[in-house]
Every structure is written in structure tokens, then in C-alpha cells.
Amino acid sequence: ATNNRLSCYLLEMYCGCGAHTVPLAKMNLLQGIVAVELDQRLVDACIDNCKLNDCYDYSHDEKNKKNNNTTPVCVFQGDASEWAAKKSIFQRKNRQSTTNENTWYEMEEKYSILLVDPPRMGLGETVCNFAIQQDSFTDILYISCGRNA
């Protein structure tokens, strides 16, 4: 139920088709999840998976909005390094902003948890710096399929 949720948001970079996103959303422990992926095919698959599992965030679409017991997930197409750079700049420039823009770097949520599942080469320098410099992350989850990453 909503009253048992932690008062934090999760940012997932390199979300792929939602293999981590959907199970986390179904646990219903967080206020929200923002998932970012570069490959449009995987973005579409993640959105489909979220819709199939009743965790897609329909907040922008009142007609399809559902009241359910999952954490709402917003899925955005974008490069993680570009996202990190824009999010850092946006946060510095707009700390007092009240904009309700719904782009992948302008969302107002203060993320407590960062989940990254990067390609085999690992995180780029921009994403690493973003993770380190953000004062809001209390936890960083790094999932790696490359032993050198």
C-alpha cells in the first residue's frame, strides 16, 4: 500500500527492457522510479513491460491513469552521460524552480537511490562524477556483467 512506501525516488540508468525496473516497482517500496535508456527499442520494451505489470506512470494521461499497488515508473529515452550532465546543470541553475516540465532531466524529484546497469565497458566519467557529486544519493547499486567494469 502507498502508506508503506519509503519517501524516496530511484533513478535507474541503462534500464534496458526493465529487468530490474519492473520487479522493483512491483515491490511498491518507493515513491517513484525514473528509468533512462539510450536504445529506443529497449525504451519501448521497458514501457510495454511496465504497462503489462501495472507500474507505468500514467500521470500525464488521466484517461489511462490507474490506481494500483505498484511504484509508478517514468521511462525516458536518453544517453546516460548526457542525462547526468544536463541533470547536474539543471539542478544547479534551478534549485528554486517550480517548473513541471516532464523531460528526462527536468524532473523535480530528489533521487535517493541510483541504480546503474551499464554496458560491459562500465560507467563513463560523466556518469561517475554525477553519482559522486549528487548530495541526494544515499545508496548506489552497480550491476555489472563485465568483470573489468
Side-chain angles (χ1 to χ4, degrees), residues 76-89:
F76 295 102
Q77 191 276 331
D79 178 79
S81 293
E82 180 182 323
W83 192 96
K86 286 185 178 183
K87 184 68 174 174
S88 295
I89 292 167

Side-chain angles (χ1 to χ4, degrees), residues 9-149:
Y9 289 84
L10 180 137
L11 170 60
E12 181 180 4
M13 294 180 151
Y14 313 97
C15 70
C17 66
H20 307 298
T21 315
V22 171
L24 287 168
K26 290 181 76 79
M27 290 172 61
N28 197 29
L29 295 175
L30 305 165
Q31 289 297 312
I33 297 173
V34 172
V36 180
E37 171 58 50
L38 178 61
D39 186 327
Q40 186 61 54
R41 293 171 301 159
L42 292 173
V43 170
D44 294 340
C46 187
I47 290 170
D48 289 345
N49 284 336
C50 289
K51 287 178 178 179
L52 287 170
N53 286 280
D54 293 326
C55 57
Y56 185 70
D57 185 356
Y58 285 101
S59 62
H60 59 281
D61 184 0
E62 286 296 320
K63 186 174 83 174
N64 289 315
K65 194 170 187 176
K66 295 179 181 179
N67 184 9
N68 55 45
N69 291 324
T70 60
T71 297
V73 178
C74 293
V75 183
F76 295 102
Q77 191 276 331
D79 178 79
S81 293
E82 180 182 323
W83 192 96
K86 286 185 178 183
K87 184 68 174 174
S88 295
I89 292 167
F90 181 79
Q91 285 178 331
R92 283 194 301 271
K93 287 183 176 179
N94 297 295
R95 294 209 188 272
Q96 305 302 319
S97 175
T98 58
T99 182
N100 287 327
E101 297 286 329
N102 195 23
T103 65
W104 43 270
Y105 62 89
E106 293 180 323
M107 294 189 71
E108 296 290 327
E109 286 82 0
K110 188 166 186 157
Y111 306 105
S112 300
I113 304 166
L114 174 64
L115 169 61
V116 291
D117 184 4
R120 282 184 173 75
M121 68 185 112
L123 290 180
E125 184 178 349
T126 305
V127 178
C128 284
N129 289 336
F130 170 74
I132 293 167
Q133 294 170 356
Q134 292 299 303
D135 60 354
S136 63
F137 294 131
T138 57
D139 296 286
I140 298 175
L141 306 170
Y142 190 109
I143 299 169
S144 175
C145 61
R147 58 178 186 244
N148 294 328

